Amino acid sequence: MDDPDGRFGEKVAARYDDDSSERFRPETVNRTASVLADLADGGRALEFAVGTGRIALPLAERGIEVHGIELSRAMLRRLHAKPGGDGIRTTVGDMATTRADGTFTLVYLVFNTINNLTTQDAQVACFENAAAHLEPGGHFVIEVGVPELRKLPPGQTMIPWHSSATEYCYDVLDTSTQSMIGHYITIDGDRSEHETIPFRYVWPSELDLMARLAGMRLVHRWSGWTREPFTHESTEHVSVWQKPA
Ligand SMILES: C[S@@+](CC[C@H](N)C(=O)[O-])C[C@H]1O[C@@H](n2cnc3c(N)ncnc32)[C@H](O)[C@@H]1O
């Protein structure tokens, strides 16, 4: 039977915050929270797919009232168990369709999670849901990688991105559908485990069209949280769309 918490059940939630990669370092988290606090401009913020509160908690520490929508109850239990976690109001549900009470000056969706919506329709619905939560003049922010098709020579579908004694990770892309399956192989002694997660990769320009369909316009596209310009060499982007004032 499928886990009601999706891919982020108790086992993943328990080790989610042990990650030592760049994204989890205090400098990165603080920089991210500071940019989002500026955009919230003293109003209320809503995080789609809030997870264990990696960004929601430091944003709340900056005096912003933060709400979250999240599919996984296991991830939310971790969030609420953390110091300050009681101050984050959360709603269990799908970020493409679930409504949180009230309106917000900022809605944000980080860590490539727009790609967890595996159809174009669901991604479009997510933009419409963000716009429906925003006050006039409010901002919607997405942080997501640029699809890595330049790494794929003709005939190849696989992009390896991590290899160590205990873990191998690679993505398999289908350029006809923009589907991408993440493969994660972990090795523990003579046991190994192979997990897969389905994604839909999406282009910056396609996201701009989704924003337009939802009545929003691009106001910033940076190549990261230090707000450096987005260029043809950028591997990811932080994009900000605004609902008309
Ligand atoms: C990579 S984690 C990111 C969590 C948090 N935003 C962060 O930056 O640390 C992805 C999260 O998205 C949640 N998620 C995936 N699809 C979702 C959906 N359709 N609606 C709401 N949450 C979703 C997962 O349960 C998981 O907690």
Side-chain angles (χ1 to χ4, degrees):
M1 203 180 78
D2 277 352
D3 187 328
D5 287 342
R7 305 282 165 170
F8 289 83
E10 195 49 53
K11 199 170 129 199
V12 171
R15 55 171 205 243
Y16 182 80
D17 291 301
D18 297 340
D19 199 318
S20 58
S21 62
E22 171 73 31
R23 211 179 283 276
F24 286 77
R25 295 205 181 120
E27 319 81 87
T28 313
V29 165
N30 285 328
R31 204 181 296 129
T32 306
S34 294
V35 173
L36 293 171
D38 284 351
L39 289 165
D41 197 21
R44 302 165 81 225
L46 172 65
E47 180 168 353
F48 281 173
V50 66
T52 61
R54 181 182 65 92
I55 301 301
L57 287 165
L59 181 57
E61 278 167 18
R62 285 162 173 75
I64 304 293
E65 181 184 328
V66 185
H67 293 231
I69 292 177
E70 168 59 51
L71 268 188
S72 163
R73 287 180 168 80
M75 294 290 272
L76 289 180
R77 277 195 293 277
R78 299 275 154 181
L79 160 59
H80 292 303
K82 290 180 183 176
D86 283 352
I88 313 281
R89 285 190 41 205
T90 56
T91 308
V92 176
D94 183 341
M95 62 188 169
T97 51
T98 301
R99 283 303 306 263
D101 287 341
T103 56
F104 299 84
T105 54
L106 174 71
V107 178
Y108 65 97
L109 173 58
V110 295
F111 202 165
N112 298 320
T113 308
I114 185 69
N115 292 345
N116 288 55
L117 297 171
T118 56
T119 65
Q120 191 184 55
D121 281 349
Q123 292 178 347
V124 166
C126 180
F127 272 78
E128 283 165 351
N129 199 27
H133 282 94
L134 282 176
E135 291 176 10
H139 293 100
F140 181 39
V141 177
I142 281 190
E143 174 199 33
V144 65
V146 175
E148 297 189 299
L149 294 202
R150 288 167 74 189
K151 289 190 178 167
L152 275 186
Q156 286 243 30
T157 57
M158 189 195 288
I159 301 175
W161 56 269
H162 178 78
S163 164
S164 70
T166 54
E167 207 175 15
Y168 298 92
C169 306
Y170 60 93
D171 296 326
V172 176
L173 281 69
D174 180 341
T175 53
S176 69
T177 60
Q178 293 182 212
S179 100
M180 179 170 88
I181 309 292
H183 291 253
Y184 311 87
I185 299 168
T186 43
I187 298 166
D188 182 6
D190 56 2
R191 287 167 49 95
S192 69
E193 221 175 280
H194 179 200
E195 277 183 271
T196 58
I197 303 187
F199 299 103
R200 178 180 189 271
Y201 66 81
V202 60
W203 300 97
S205 54
E206 191 184 1
L207 293 172
D208 292 341
L209 282 176
M210 293 181 189
R212 274 201 200 200
L213 288 173
M216 298 183 287
R217 287 286 175 158
L218 183 73
V219 288
H220 301 292
R221 173 155 290 136
W222 299 305
S223 67
W225 295 105
T226 52
R227 308 185 212 218
E228 63 271 45
F230 180 76
T231 73
H232 69 288
E233 293 296 353
S234 302
T235 55
E236 64 172 16
H237 60 105
V238 173
S239 294
V240 184
W241 298 272
Q242 188 172 29
K243 183 168 170 166

